[in-house]
């Protein structure tokens, strides 16, 4: 078992942009690290560089103490689970799991013992003599896991291993992988585009965008203290509402106004975002998670902390209701493109869309005006030009 | 507990010692190269043709330089040296290995192996059955089709094959072959070649290793190039020696007067081409003037009557021009005859009615049956007195009023007028099935919705065929036409067997370009001229290929239906 | 084409469709039927008119049926005295017979036992010779005749009614023919070449062809797998250039290569040797493309997984890629088999000494079945032997073959 260290790693393809740009990341020994980001963000490339499947254009990659830039994949002592599992179709489960050992010329009885141990751990014992095509998706996924763990590698690499499973199985496998990693204590690098997976599984999560590392932090910190606008928008579901607003400071009170609305911001928010004070009279991007709304009757706040909007759509989820509304300001943009636009075509609507999560006991009709209390002490503020938080 | 529990196996030769040995070996190579350079340039040895001598000199120089570079590089541990050494050693290994096999008579000894096989054919068939059993037993006899094959059954197959192999060896009696190898291997030249092969082989094996690559700091890209070329090398060597080299040689020879034997070879420039293509036309007063009205060296190709004036068309190589005329006629008849039925039949076979696969298989059989057998069979069918064709025409005449059978059996292949037509029949019969299958592939790309739409519009079968199937298959049709034409242009085998009284007969009615080329090269011993004919033919064929290429490109850009 | 409509018109179209298909199938199958039946015929049986698809032999019946012992008895067919056609078994081929000619019709011949007839005592002068006049039995009636000749002939017994017997000259009778395939055509054509036993040496050609075919197919499979893998999966310098050259090579017709290849074979002394049919053909650009195409279709992750498992490139190739490529290899093997088995032009050029030990089937057949052919039955036996393996291979490998001939345009 070993740590994995990226030192100024870059990956350039011929006549293309950098797939990974100057990545610095230390993955501790035994850590469960999740790389997350929208497609094309370079997370898979980073993973494949650890595996040795992508050449490293620049920088230094270490596994443990060893620099592995020029070490071929087979000599890196790592195991990988692929998105499509990449099982050998012509080999039985037993042969699939044992292939690495066979290649390493381990004795036959030793191979059998270790394959059976791994199969036992994953509940595959009765399928050992089947071919992959006779297995269900979940079973195949477990065979791929078995192939990885039988080698007792220094690092596990997983490339979206759950994305081919149905939703229910995915939840099940998620907890299985967490427990497996805890039991084996092996360093794990896990790539996913699904931020829920990232939040629930990783000890730490590395958020990437367009080849650049945005933030590495434990999941809760990502949620509470996003390092920039992108992370703020990416983490959380439904995503954080980001609204371009004008800041007015009147004495100790800070007000944000947008699309005819005006909210007073709690002083607690100012403690977290002291930089806001210097923005009097300027535009900022004001971030408010859907769960930080409540119906006015559920939360006692001042009148100046209530937002009145027209409900365009009410999605009853059972425990909660999602209220969709639009406020009349252009959606915020960073680098000229609307943020979060990568997965969000809705961001192209004329106004800025706002989603509020309120308690499920309420019945809300479409077109109805609702009064939403805002927990303004939990709001976030970002610089509209750079996307940096106003800390 | 990783994979590496057992620890790395101790290497047999330390890297540095090994590299020193390789350096030493390269120095030996330099010395040997210089010696052979001197030997090759030594005058007085007239047994070797100049070309071979030149080749040997160039080869020796190349080997010497490569060895020198490799020796210096490996001595200094230069990064590229491993690549140079590997390439040198590998090529040397291939060359010396082939030379060794040649000296041992392994290549020409294959005829002796044929004798053994002839004596031991039965045990050989048992071996084949055993191995086939190994291949298919698992799939056939296993209860669970998804499980891998049962090992016991496979072992039985292996066992059978092994037993039969013993039987085979006893029956084939290889003692003669072995004693021959034993005799030859003790000769000094053979022993020398063996030594070179062993040394270069061992050096290649050693330098190939990963740990040596690490020592030399070979980059991953270079490693990829090496392994790519290594994988490709058997193919590439064959490609060079049996395709690219001969191709170049053929072009060179076409500018020579060239005989099979060493004498009578001289450079003639483009004379061969001029001779093949020269035509002369001259008017004449008499209707059937002879060669005398033409330029000297020209013979009458045909008589023409234009606007009341008699013309004589002559050529220097009359037979070639006749063969061109024949092949043009053949093309015009045989290509539609093997494509049109395919178009119609494939439209029916694509309908997925029951039994279509059976018909498809039947139609395909003539194209796999072997042209010689097919020609022999048709020769019998065309037989004038007791042949089935004449008999069936006679019987048809009894039933159908419009068939007028000749009183005596018509001699199909020995009559000037029908000889070429007979070849057309055989060609079309052999190839329409293959074309049908090509068309069937084309049918698969026609969207089913078109037919459904036509059905709803109430189109009848003919309208559907005419308005949907044929236009949609345009690209396929083009492809089929071109491939069939290329095949037809190379007509040889059918004519060789069928035409009478000699190949190309009667009276050159069935002479084809390939036949003319064959006769020039292998019966007339004019290999230079025949090469020129080959290139002329190639240019004609290339015209078709090029058209096909252009069409494919256009098809790709304009796109069919998606 | 949708022919799924219902109604009488659609049914008629469907029937017509099948009739057309069957007619074409007959045209395809009929020559093969002629070949197979001819292969079982006697040579005399081939050149009879009208042509027939049934191999016949001269008929016999068991000796016991006509009250004899020993070998089967030959059967002849000729009309009896009442001009009814009949089948007659020849029970004694060497009976002493006498030919009588009735005096009222000297052209007619009555064949009777040598002891038959009673002399009337009169004589008659025929061509200046005095001949005794006999009273002989002519189909129940007694006629006067003279004995024109004493000869030996046949005693025939009716096949239908063994009690009826008739004497006749054997050369007047035509032997009856019945279904009778001649299997020894095959053994004769296969036997070693020998004018005395009429062996044609096709056996040796057959084993030579098998040898050549197997080695060519093996060679093509190995070189194509290696080359296809390199083109598909190894990134090496010069790959696209070499690949383009390979693509271009497909455009070159074989006739262009035949003269230089012949020269090359002369240089290495491979002329008139089977090796000249093997080594130059163990490399195929088509096969390399076929394998490359297949390897490109195998997900890259499978290979990457094997790389991570520590497998070397060659381990990956032989343990992972090749087992997966079985369908492509089967296709390649089928094409290689058909090509090697049926090839003719090159053997004709290079195996030219007439030594039967170096000949292959196509070559031997072309010599046997050529213009100066004799023993047509043996030629056809050889033809059938030569055609059967490729047709069987095609039928078994049809799945691979038909699918891929379309996609690759191989021929």
């Amino acid at each position: 078992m070993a740590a994995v260290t990226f030192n100024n790693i870059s990956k350039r393809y011929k006549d293309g942009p950098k797939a990974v740009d100057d990545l610095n990341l230390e993955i501790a020994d035994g850590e469960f690290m999740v790389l997350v980001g929208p497609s094309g963000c370079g997370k898979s490339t980073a993973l494949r560089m650890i595996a040795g499947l992508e050449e490293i254009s620049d920088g230094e990659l270490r596994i443990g103490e060893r620099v592995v830039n020029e070490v071929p994949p087979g000599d890196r002592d790592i195991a990988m689970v692929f998105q499509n599992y990449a099982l050998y179709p012509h080999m039985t489960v037993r042969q699939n799991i044992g292939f690495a050992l066979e290649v390493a010329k381990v004795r036959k009885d030793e191979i059998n013992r270790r394959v059976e141990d791994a199969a036992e751990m994953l509940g595959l014992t009765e399928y050992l003599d089947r071919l992959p095509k006779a297995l269900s998706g979940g079973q195949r996924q477990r065979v791929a896991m078995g192939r990885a763990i039988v080698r007792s590698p220094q690092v596990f690499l997983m490339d979206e291993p759950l994305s081919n499973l149905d939703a229910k199985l995915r939840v099940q496998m998620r907890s299985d992988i967490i427990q497996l990693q805890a039991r084996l204590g092996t360093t794990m690098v896990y790539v996913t585009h699904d931020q829920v997976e990232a939040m629930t599984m990783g000890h730490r999560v590395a958020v990437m965008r367009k080849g650049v590392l945005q933030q590495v932090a434990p999941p809760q910190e990502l949620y509470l203290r996003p390092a920039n606008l992108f992370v703020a928008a990416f983490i959380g579901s439904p995503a954080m509402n980001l609204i371009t607003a004008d800041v007015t400071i009147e004495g100790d009170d800070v007000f944000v106004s947008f699309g005819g609305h005006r909210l007073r911001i709690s002083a607690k928010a100012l403690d977290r975002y002291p930089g806001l004070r210097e923005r009097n009279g300027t535009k900022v991007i004001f971030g408010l998670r859907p769960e930080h709304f409540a119906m006015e009757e559920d939360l006692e706040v001042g009148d100046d902390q209530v937002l009145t909007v027209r409900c365009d759509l009410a999605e009853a989820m059972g425990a909660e209701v999602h209220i969709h509304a639009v406020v009349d300001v252009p959606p915020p943009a960073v680098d000229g493109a609307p943020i979060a636009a990568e997965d969000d075509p809705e961001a192209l609507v004329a106004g800025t869309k706002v989603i509020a999560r309120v308690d499920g006991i309420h019945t809300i009709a479409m077109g109805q005006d609702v009064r939403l209390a805002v927990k303004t002490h939990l709001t976030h503020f970002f610089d509209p030009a750079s996307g940096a938080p106003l800390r | 507990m990783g994979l590496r529990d057992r620890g790395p196996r101790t290497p047999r030769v330390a890297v540095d010692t090994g590299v020193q040995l390789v350096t030493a070996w390269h120095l030996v190579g330099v010395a040997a190269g210089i010696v052979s350079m001197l030997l090759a340039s030594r005058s007085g040895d007239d047994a070797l043709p100049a070309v071979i001598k030149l080749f040997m000199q160039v080869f020796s120089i190349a080997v010497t330089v490569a060895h020198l570079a490799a020796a210096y590089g490996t001595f200094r541990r230069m990064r590229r040296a491993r690549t140079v050494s590997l390439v040198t050693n590998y090529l040397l290994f291939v060359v010396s290995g082939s030379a060794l096999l040649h000296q041992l008579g392994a290549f020409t000894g294959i005829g002796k192996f044929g004798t053994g096989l002839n004596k031991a054919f039965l045990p050989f068939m048992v071996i084949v059955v055993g191995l086939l059993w190994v291949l298919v037993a698992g799939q056939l006899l296993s209860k669970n089709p998804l499980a891998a094959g049962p090992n016991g059954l496979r072992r039985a197959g292996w066992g059978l094959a092994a037993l039969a192999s013993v039987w085979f060896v006893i029956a084939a009696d290889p003692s003669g072959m072995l004693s021959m190898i034993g005799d030859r291997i003790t000769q000094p030249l053979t022993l020398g070649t063996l030594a070179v092969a062993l040394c270069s082989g061992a050096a290649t094996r050693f330098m190939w290793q990963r740990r040596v690559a690490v020592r030399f700091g070979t980059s991953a890209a270079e490693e990829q190039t090496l392994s790519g070329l290594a994988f490709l090398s058997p193919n590439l060597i064959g490609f060079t020696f049996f395709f690219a080299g001969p191709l170049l040689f053929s072009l060179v020879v076409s500018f020579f007067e060239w005989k099979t034997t060493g004498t009578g070879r001289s450079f003639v420039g483009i004379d061969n081409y001029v001779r093949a293509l020269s035509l002369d036309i001259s008017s004449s007063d008499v209707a059937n003037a002879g060669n005398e009205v033409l330029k000297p060296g020209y013979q009458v190709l045909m008589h023409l009557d234009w606007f009341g004036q008699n013309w004589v068309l002559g050529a220097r190589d009359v037979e070639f021009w006749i063969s061109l005329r024949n092949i043009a006629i053949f093309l015009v008849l045989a290509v539609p005859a093997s494509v049109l039925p395919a178009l119609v039949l494939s439209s029916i076979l694509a309908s997925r009615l029951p039994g279509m696969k059976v018909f498809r298989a039947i139609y395909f059989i003539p194209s796999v049956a072997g042209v010689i057998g097919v020609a022999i069979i048709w020769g019998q069918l065309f037989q004038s007195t007791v042949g089935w064709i004449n008999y069936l025409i006679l019987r048809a005449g009894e039933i159908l009023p419009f068939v007028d059978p000749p009183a005596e059996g018509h001699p199909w292949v020995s009559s000037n007028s029908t000889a070429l037509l007979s070849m057309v029949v055989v060609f079309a019969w052999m190839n329409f099935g293959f074309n049908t299958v090509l068309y069937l592939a084309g049918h698969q790309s026609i969207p089913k919705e078109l037919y459904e739409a036509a059905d709803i519009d109430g189109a009848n079968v003919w309208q559907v065929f005419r308005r949907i199937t044929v236009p949609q298959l345009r690209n396929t049709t083009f492809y089929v036409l071109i491939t069939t034409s290329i095949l037809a242009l190379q007509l040889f085998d059918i004519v060789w067997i069928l035409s009478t009284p000699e190949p190309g007969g009667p009276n050159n009615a069935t002479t084809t370009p390939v036949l003319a080329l064959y006769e020039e090269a292998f019966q007339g011993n004019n290999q230079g001229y025949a090469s020129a004919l080959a290139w002329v033919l190639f240019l004609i064929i290339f015209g078709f290929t090029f058209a096909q290429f252009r069409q494919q490109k256009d098809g790709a850009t304009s796109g069919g239906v998606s | 084409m949708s022919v799924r409509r219902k109604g009488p018109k659609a049914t008629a179209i469907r029937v017509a469709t099948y009739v057309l298909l069957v007619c074409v199938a007959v045209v395809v199958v009929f020559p093969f039927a002629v070949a197979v039946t001819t292969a079982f015929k006697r040579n005399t049986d081939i050149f009879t008119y009208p042509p027939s698809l049934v191999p016949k032999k001269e008929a016999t019946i068991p000796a016991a049926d006509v009250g004899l012992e020993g070998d089967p008895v030959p059967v002849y067919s000729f009309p009896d005295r009442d001009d009814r056609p009949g089948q007659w078994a020849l029970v004694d081929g060497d009976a002493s017979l006498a030919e009588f000619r009735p005096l009222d019709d000297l052209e007619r011949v009555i064949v009777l036992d040598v002891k038959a007839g009673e002399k009337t005592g009169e004589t008659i002068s025929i061509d200046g010779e005095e001949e005794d006049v006999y009273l002989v039995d002519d189909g129940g009636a007694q006629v006067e005749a003279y004995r024109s000749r004493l000869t030996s002939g046949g005693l025939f017994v009716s096949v239908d009614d063994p009690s009826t017997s008739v004497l006749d000259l054997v050369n007047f009778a035509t032997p009856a023919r019945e279904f009778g395939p001649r299997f020894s055509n095959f053994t004769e054509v296969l036997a070693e070449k020998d004018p005395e036993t009429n062996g044609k040496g096709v056996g040796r050609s057959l084993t030579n062809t098998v040898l050549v075919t197997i080695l060519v197919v093996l060679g093509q499979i190995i070189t194509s797998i290696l080359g296809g893998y390199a083109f598909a999966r190894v990134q090496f310098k010069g790959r696209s250039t070499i690949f383009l050259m390979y693509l271009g090579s497909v455009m070159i017709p074989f006739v262009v290569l035949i003269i230089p290849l012949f020269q090359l074979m002369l240089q290495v002394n491979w002329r008139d040797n089977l090796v000249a049919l093997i080594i130059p053909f163990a490399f195929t650009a088509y096969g390399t493309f076929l394998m490359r195409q297949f390897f490109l279709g195998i997900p890259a992750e499978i290979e990457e997984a094997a790389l991570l498992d520590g497998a070397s490139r060659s381990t990956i190739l032989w343990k992972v890629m090749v087992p997966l490529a079985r369908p492509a290899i089967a296709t390649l093997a089928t094409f290689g088999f058909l090509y090697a088995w049926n090839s003719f032009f090159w053997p004709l050029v290079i195996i030219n000494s007439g030594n039967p030990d170096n000949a292959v089937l196509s070559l031997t057949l072309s010599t046997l079945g050529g213009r100066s052919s004799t023993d047509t039955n043996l030629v056809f036996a050889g033809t059938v032997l030569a055609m059967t393996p490729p047709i069987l291979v095609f039928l078994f490998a049809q799945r691979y073959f038909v699918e891929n001939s379309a996609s690759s345009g191989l021929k």
Side-chain angles (χ1 to χ4, degrees), chain A residues 20 59 74 77-78 82 86 98 100 111 137 163 189 222 241 294 300 309 329 334 350 355 358 364:
Chain A
V20 172
D77 204 7
I78 40 159
F82 292 85
I111 297 182
S163 59
V189 186
L222 286 183
N241 299 302
E300 241 170 75
V309 290
V329 279
V334 170
I355 299 177
V358 301
I364 294 147

Side-chain angles (χ1 to χ4, degrees), chain B residues 103-373:
Chain B
Q103 285 160 3
L104 289 179
F107 293 124
T108 46
I110 214 147
K112 292 195 176 59
F113 194 69
T115 313
L117 182 65
N118 191 38
K119 280 192 275 188
F121 198 60
L122 187 63
F124 173 77
M125 289 311 289
V126 178
I127 297 176
V128 171
V129 168
L131 293 180
L132 279 179
W133 174 261
V134 172
L135 273 180
V136 300
Q139 278 82 355
L140 289 182
L141 292 173
S142 150
K143 272 177 219 135
N144 174 8
L146 295 176
N151 278 324
L153 291 168
R154 291 213 173 159
R155 277 198 210 105
W158 284 117
L160 184 66
L163 280 178
S165 305
V166 175
W167 178 17
F168 178 82
V169 171
I170 294 169
D173 186 20
S175 58
M177 205 155 37
L178 292 177
S179 75
M180 185 191 71
I181 291 177
D183 285 350
R184 293 193 178 183
I185 203 163
T186 48
Q187 288 168 10
L189 185 63
T190 316
L191 282 175
T193 318
L194 179 65
V196 173
L198 286 178
C199 288
S200 54
T204 312
R205 177 88 189 75
F206 174 79
M207 294 299 278
W208 184 253
Q209 291 172 86
R210 174 86 213 134
R211 58 200 175 103
V212 180
V214 172
R215 167 57 55 95
F216 278 90
T218 313
S219 73
E222 214 171 334
E223 192 76 356
Q224 285 251 335
T225 300
L226 280 175
S227 62
L229 289 176
F231 277 117
L232 194 60
S233 63
N235 215 312
L236 201 57
I237 289 168
F239 183 83
T240 311
F241 278 92
F242 301 113
F243 178 79
L247 192 68
L248 209 65
F249 185 72
S250 168
L251 192 61
V252 171
V253 164
S254 73
F255 296 105
F256 278 81
E257 160 107 44
W258 192 282
K259 305 280 179 198
T260 305
T261 50
T263 54
R265 294 177 182 174
S266 59
F267 182 75
V268 294
I270 59 165
D271 268 15
N272 286 329
Y273 292 94
V274 171
R275 180 173 141 209
L277 298 175
S278 291
L279 284 176
D280 181 34
I281 193 157
S282 126
S283 64
S284 126
D285 301 331
V286 281
N288 285 311
N291 296 337
E292 64 279 356
V293 300
L294 297 165
K295 285 187 221 157
Y298 285 76
Q299 287 174 296
V300 175
L301 182 63
M302 61 200 314
H303 293 121
L304 300 164
D305 180 7
W306 284 338
F307 310 111
Q309 174 77 354
N310 289 311
W311 294 86
V312 180
L313 186 63
R316 278 173 69 182
D317 185 350
V318 174
E319 195 190 346
F320 182 61
W321 279 97
I322 290 178
S323 78
L324 285 181
R325 184 200 63 193
N326 285 344
I327 210 69
I329 298 170
F330 183 80
L331 210 60
V332 168
L333 295 176
V335 172
S338 24
V339 172
L340 283 180
L343 174 60
V344 175
L345 290 171
S346 69
S347 306
I348 299 174
L349 293 186
S351 69
R352 311 232 169 108
L353 289 171
M356 292 304 121
K357 282 193 174 157
V358 178
F359 285 110
R360 186 186 70 183
I362 290 175
Y363 298 165
F364 206 88
I365 287 176
S367 60
V368 300
V371 63
I372 301 305

Side-chain angles (χ1 to χ4, degrees), chain B residues 12 14 39 41 50 92 104 109 127 168 187 222 340 484 500 528 544 558:
Chain B
R12 279 168 305 160
L39 282 179
S41 59
L92 200 59
L104 289 179
I127 297 176
F168 178 82
Q187 288 168 10
E222 214 171 334
L340 283 180
T484 312
T500 177
F544 285 82
S558 70

Side-chain angles (χ1 to χ4, degrees), chain B residues 108 115 124 224-225 231 234-235 246 258 260 348 354 363-364 368 374 394 429 434 455 479 496 499 501 527, chain C residues 2 17-18 21 27-28 49 204 214 223 226 235-236 246 260 263 266 273 283 288 313 342 371 387 401 409-410:
Chain B
T108 46
T115 313
F124 173 77
Q224 285 251 335
T225 300
F231 277 117
N235 215 312
W258 192 282
T260 305
I348 299 174
Y363 298 165
F364 206 88
V368 300
V374 166
L394 194 71
W429 183 81
F434 190 91
D455 250 8
Y479 176 74
W496 182 263
S499 62
Q527 303 215 323
Chain C
S2 168
T17 303
Y18 275 103
L21 291 179
V27 171
V28 167
Y49 190 88
R204 180 62 199 259
I214 285 179
T223 58
L226 291 171
Q235 288 285 347
F236 59 91
Y246 269 64
Q263 295 282 350
L266 284 187
N273 195 299
F283 314 95
T288 310
R313 286 232 176 244
N342 289 335
R371 275 155 287 274
M387 282 180 159
F401 197 63
L410 296 179

Side-chain angles (χ1 to χ4, degrees), chain A residues 231-356:
Chain A
V231 176
F234 189 76
I235 299 293
S237 175
M240 183 190 287
N241 299 302
L242 294 164
I243 305 159
T244 311
D246 293 305
V247 179
T248 338
I249 300 184
E250 296 172 2
D252 272 353
D253 286 334
V254 178
F255 292 91
V256 289
S257 42
F258 50 89
H261 304 281
R262 184 177 158 96
L263 287 176
R264 184 174 57 84
I265 300 302
S266 155
K268 282 182 193 164
L270 290 174
D271 292 345
R272 288 168 44 237
Y273 288 94
L276 189 60
R277 284 188 192 283
E278 289 134 41
R279 295 296 178 125
N280 189 15
T282 62
K283 282 195 190 302
V284 296
I285 293 172
F286 156 65
L288 187 56
R289 294 200 181 273
E291 49 271 41
H292 297 156
F293 288 99
M295 293 301 280
E296 194 184 15
E297 57 257 49
D298 291 347
L299 186 71
E300 241 170 75
V301 291
D303 243 13
D304 49 5
Q305 295 189 321
V306 172
L307 192 61
T308 307
V309 290
R310 214 176 67 136
C311 170
D312 288 339
L313 174 68
E315 293 174 314
M317 317 288 281
E320 58 202 35
V321 179
H322 293 181
I323 298 169
H324 293 238
V326 173
V327 292
D328 189 19
V329 279
V334 170
D335 300 344
I339 56 129
E342 278 111 330
D343 319 278
D344 191 10
E346 290 163 313
L348 298 171
V349 297
T352 302
K353 195 164 198 177
V354 174
I355 299 177

Side-chain angles (χ1 to χ4, degrees), chain C residues 372-387:
Chain C
S372 55
S373 137
T374 53
D375 299 316
T376 308
N377 54 343
L378 299 193
V379 172
F380 273 84
T383 303
V384 168
L385 281 174
M387 282 180 159

